[in-house]
Amino acid sequence: MLDFLTQLMPNVIDKWPAFVQACIESLQMIAFSGIISFVFGLIFGVTLTVTNKDGILENRIIWTILDKLVNIFRAIPFIILVALLMDMTRAIAGTTIGVRGAVFPLIMGTVPFFSRQIESALAEVDYGLIEASQSMGDSPFQTIIRVYLKESIPGIIRATTITLISLIGLTAMVGVVGGGGIGNFAIQYGYSRHQTDITYVSCIVILIFITLIQSISNVLIQKTTH
């Protein structure tokens, strides 16, 4: 079996420790930036929803500022955003390379996208449920928890899945500028040294990550849809 794998992907086998390390780095970037982006994206998405016109905490100033910021950061191509944030990344993380240097730009590229996804998910909540919650004397915070978030769980899972899949693509992209992970491994060895087996295996690993996330998402959506 080992002989077969050696013949099939000789360069991957030869660089196996570096390949395993690249996989670990990709998972670290996805985990760290994904968790932080989920928290901030959820907060911003909820804020955009409740401060919008006719929202339970309508506030045009807050909504306008947050809406414009989200639009600006979503409009900047990620590879340019990484370059723009280099000085800030260095000040926050102490470096612009490796996992530490990649997490901050990944968060800045993911949060605006996830915020819009959450806003869309919350917009599907039946307004009658919101009115019922308010008529029962629930505070805005209770309405957010008991109605907006509880009723949007399947939508939030879908939004999280879409964002994670997008994030995997961004982690591969950030490898171009020394962010580490599978993307950096594929560029450094597969592309620069024309070792095509490394490129193919890197693509397969990314596809496996995406398939696992989508499969878990499908199960969770089925269990939470009512």
Side-chain angles (χ1 to χ4, degrees):
M1 183 65 178
L2 183 60
D3 291 338
F4 173 74
L5 290 175
T6 302
Q7 293 177 0
L8 185 65
M9 45 184 191
N11 296 299
V12 176
I13 297 298
D14 184 55
K15 297 175 178 63
W16 186 254
F19 174 67
V20 173
Q21 181 61 33
C23 291
I24 293 172
E25 289 176 352
S26 287
L27 290 173
Q28 288 174 333
M29 285 188 285
I30 294 168
F32 295 152
S33 56
I35 292 170
I36 297 172
S37 297
F38 178 85
V39 173
F40 281 98
L42 190 64
I43 292 171
F44 293 155
V46 169
T47 303
L48 283 167
T49 301
V50 299
T51 59
N52 200 353
K53 184 179 179 181
D54 298 327
I56 61 175
L57 292 172
E58 182 179 346
N59 188 312
R60 299 301 292 176
I61 295 175
I62 292 177
W63 181 87
T64 300
I65 293 172
L66 189 54
D67 179 69
K68 300 307 178 190
L69 284 174
V70 168
N71 287 341
I72 289 170
F73 277 94
R74 284 192 67 193
I76 302 174
F78 180 68
I79 199 70
I80 297 176
L81 181 64
V82 173
L84 288 173
L85 294 173
M86 274 192 172
D87 290 339
M88 192 177 297
T89 302
R90 189 178 291 108
I92 293 172
T95 181
T96 59
I97 61 174
V99 174
R100 279 174 52 192
V103 169
F104 179 67
L106 285 171
I107 292 170
M108 296 301 291
T110 303
V111 168
F113 178 80
F114 187 54
S115 298
R116 286 300 187 203
Q117 294 290 324
I118 291 297
E119 185 183 16
S120 297
L122 299 182
E124 298 176 2
V125 175
D126 185 353
Y127 196 74
L129 295 174
I130 299 169
E131 291 180 327
S133 175
Q134 291 177 314
S135 67
M136 290 188 293
D138 286 347
S139 66
F141 180 76
Q142 289 173 320
T143 301
I144 290 170
I145 299 297
R146 295 176 181 176
V147 180
Y148 277 111
L149 296 181
K150 185 177 179 181
E151 295 297 321
S152 299
I153 289 176
I156 292 173
I157 294 172
R158 291 189 190 94
T160 303
T161 303
I162 294 170
T163 304
L164 278 176
I165 291 173
S166 174
L167 179 59
I168 290 173
L170 297 183
T171 60
M173 194 184 303
V174 80
V176 176
V177 290
I182 293 294
N184 182 63
F185 184 77
I187 293 295
Q188 184 178 354
Y189 297 108
Y191 176 77
S192 300
R193 302 185 186 183
H194 305 288
Q195 298 174 347
T196 54
D197 60 320
I198 286 179
T199 304
Y200 292 144
V201 171
S202 298
C203 289
I204 290 171
V205 169
I206 291 173
L207 286 172
I208 290 172
F209 286 169
I210 292 173
T211 302
L212 286 172
I213 290 171
Q214 189 65 63
S215 299
I216 294 171
S217 170
N218 291 341
V219 172
L220 292 176
I221 290 172
Q222 288 178 355
K223 290 183 177 295
T224 56
T225 300
H226 54 274

